[in-house]
C-alpha cells in the first residue's frame, strides 16, 4: 500500500538569504524552525549549493525519502535557470536542477521562488478559492511575480522587470523592498513607488486580487493602506514562509 507523504522540505533561495524548513503538507505549516543562512556573496552555483547543504544539515534532513523542493530567484524552464537578476550570471542557461541533484545526491523539485510562493497561497493562503486572476508579488531583494488564473499557475511571469517609460531602472530596481532600504525611503515615499507599480499592473492585467509577499509583508499595515487601487490587495497569509511552503508542496505533486 502506498504511504501518503505528508511532509516535505522546502528551501527558498533568495538574493539575500537562503531559508528552509520541514513542512506539514496537510496544514501548509512549518514543522520545524526556519533555518536561514546568508546567500553567499556573488551567488555562484558552487557557493549556493554549499549554503543549501548547510541549511539541510541544520534541519537534520538526511533522509532522501523526504521530498525536497528548491525555489530559486530566476526563470526556471525544464530545470534550467534562464535569467540572473540578483545572482551570478553563471546561472543563465545553467542545468540548475541537475546540478543540485548531483551535489545533494538526491532528487529535488526546482522552480521559480515567486511561483512557489503563489502555489503556497493558492493551496493554503490568500488565493485559496479565488476563481479569477490572482497576481502575487514578492517584495524583497527583487520583485517576483506569480500569475494564477482559475487555480492554475502560469509559470515564469517576470513582472518585476517591467520597464518604466523614460527611466533606466526597471520596476524592481525602483520599487523592491531593497530599493526602499537603499534609498532610505519612508513608508509613504516607498508607497508612492508601489502606487505606480501596482496601478500599472492593474492597468495591464485587470487582476481580481493582488497578494503581497516577501519579508516586508509582515509590515503590510504600514504601506498597503496607503495604496489607492481598484483591486483588493492583501498580504500573503504565509508572509515570507510562502516560498518554503510552496517549494515543499511542489516537491510531491
Ligand atoms: C527575478 C525573478 C524572481 C524575483 C524575486 C527577480 O529579480 O528575475 O525570477 O522571482 O527576483 O526573487
Amino acid at each position: 500500500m502506498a504511504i501518503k507523504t505528508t511532509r516535505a522540505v522546502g528551501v527558498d533561495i533568495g538574493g539575500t538569504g537562503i531559508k528552509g524548513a520541514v513542512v506539514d503538507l496537510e496544514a501548509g505549516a512549518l514543522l520545524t524552525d526556519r533555518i536561514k543562512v546568508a546567500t553567499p556573496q556573488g551567488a555562484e552555483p558552487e557557493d549556493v549549493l554549499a549554503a543549501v547543504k548547510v541549511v539541510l544539515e541544520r534541519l537534520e534532513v538526511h533522509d532522501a525519502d523526504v521530498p525536497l523542493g528548491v525555489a530559486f530567484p530566476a526563470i526556471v524552464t525544464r530545470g534550467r535557470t534562464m535569467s540572473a537578476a540578483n545572482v551570478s550570471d553563471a546561472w543563465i542557461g545553467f542545468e540548475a536542477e541537475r546540478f543540485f541533484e548531483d551535489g545533494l545526491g538526491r532528487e529535488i523539485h526546482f522552480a521559480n521562488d515567486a511561483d512557489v510562493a503563489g502555489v503556497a497561497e493558492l493551496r493554503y493562503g490568500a488565493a485559496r478559492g479565488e476563481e479569477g486572476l490572482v497576481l502575487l508579488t514578492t517584495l524583497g531583494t527583487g520583485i517576483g511575480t506569480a500569475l494564477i488564473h482559475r487555480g492554475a499557475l502560469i509559470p515564469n511571469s517576470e513582472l518585476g522587470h517591467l520597464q518604466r517609460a523614460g527611466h533606466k531602472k526597471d520596476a524592481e530596481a525602483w520599487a523592491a523592498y531593497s530599493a526602499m532600504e537603499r534609498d532610505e525611503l519612508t513608508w509613504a515615499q516607498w508607497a508612492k513607488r508601489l502606487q505606480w507599480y501596482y496601478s500599472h499592473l492593474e492597468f495591464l492585467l485587470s487582476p481580481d486580487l493582488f497578494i503581497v509577499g516577501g519579508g516586508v509583508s509582515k509590515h503590510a499595515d504600514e504601506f498597503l493602506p496607503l495604496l489607492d487601487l481598484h483591486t483588493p490587495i492583501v498580504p500573503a497569509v504565509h508572509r515570507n514562509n510562502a516560498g518554503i511552503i510552496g517549494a515543499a508542496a511542489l516537491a510531491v505533486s
Side-chain angles (χ1 to χ4, degrees), residues 70-116:
V70 178
F72 194 82
I75 298 168
V76 177
T77 53
R78 295 181 191 83
R80 266 179 192 243
T81 38
M82 301 305 289
S83 63
N86 295 299
V87 292
S88 157
D89 283 352
W91 295 94
I92 301 174
F94 187 64
E95 292 279 3
E97 181 163 14
R98 193 187 305 158
F99 171 75
F100 282 111
E101 288 190 337
D102 290 349
L104 299 173
R106 53 169 300 159
E107 281 189 12
I108 66 164
H109 183 282
F110 191 67
N112 172 265
D113 58 350
D115 281 349
V116 304

Side-chain angles (χ1 to χ4, degrees), residues 2-253:
I3 298 168
K4 197 166 160 235
T5 309
T6 55
R7 67 192 183 113
V9 182
V11 173
D12 184 9
I13 299 171
T16 309
I18 300 177
K19 307 173 281 284
V22 182
V23 175
D24 175 338
L25 299 175
E26 271 165 14
L30 304 196
L31 280 171
T32 61
D33 283 346
R34 189 172 82 150
I35 302 295
K36 184 172 179 183
V37 302
T39 303
Q41 194 72 30
E44 295 294 339
E46 288 293 347
D47 298 337
V48 171
L49 171 64
V52 169
K53 284 184 182 168
V54 170
V55 170
L56 295 177
E57 272 158 26
R58 286 179 52 193
L59 283 172
E60 297 178 8
V61 174
H62 307 295
D63 182 0
D65 288 343
V66 183
L68 169 62
V70 178
F72 194 82
I75 298 168
V76 177
T77 53
R78 295 181 191 83
R80 266 179 192 243
T81 38
M82 301 305 289
S83 63
N86 295 299
V87 292
S88 157
D89 283 352
W91 295 94
I92 301 174
F94 187 64
E95 292 279 3
E97 181 163 14
R98 193 187 305 158
F99 171 75
F100 282 111
E101 288 190 337
D102 290 349
L104 299 173
R106 53 169 300 159
E107 281 189 12
I108 66 164
H109 183 282
F110 191 67
N112 172 265
D113 58 350
D115 281 349
V116 304
V119 168
E121 290 296 312
L122 178 64
R123 295 199 187 165
Y124 313 107
R128 193 159 37 174
E130 173 57 61
E131 282 297 309
L133 179 65
V134 179
L135 178 44
L136 174 133
T137 56
T138 60
L139 301 174
T141 314
I143 296 181
T145 57
L147 269 182
I148 296 159
H149 186 235
R150 296 192 172 175
L153 174 74
I154 300 155
N156 287 313
S157 61
E158 284 285 340
L159 299 167
H161 297 294
L162 280 180
Q163 209 57 47
R164 293 185 305 139
H167 292 268
K168 285 202 181 122
K169 285 182 182 169
D170 63 9
E172 99 170 6
W174 197 61
Y177 180 55
S178 60
M180 177 185 176
E181 292 183 308
R182 182 194 62 219
D183 297 342
E184 297 180 357
L185 304 179
T186 62
W187 293 113
Q189 288 168 326
W190 188 45
K192 283 194 181 146
R193 298 186 182 190
L194 294 176
Q195 178 68 45
W196 167 79
Y197 182 57
Y198 287 104
S199 299
H200 198 49
L201 289 175
E202 188 169 61
F203 167 68
L204 292 175
L205 292 161
S206 301
D208 295 285
L209 177 66
F210 282 124
I211 302 176
V212 180
V216 71
S217 57
K218 63 175 177 282
H219 300 299
D221 288 352
E222 302 280 1
F223 61 96
L224 290 189
L226 305 180
L227 301 181
D228 181 14
L229 299 161
H230 306 298
T231 313
I233 184 163
V234 298
V237 167
H238 298 286
R239 304 291 198 267
N240 211 17
N241 290 336
I244 296 174
I245 295 170
L250 279 177
V252 293
S253 54

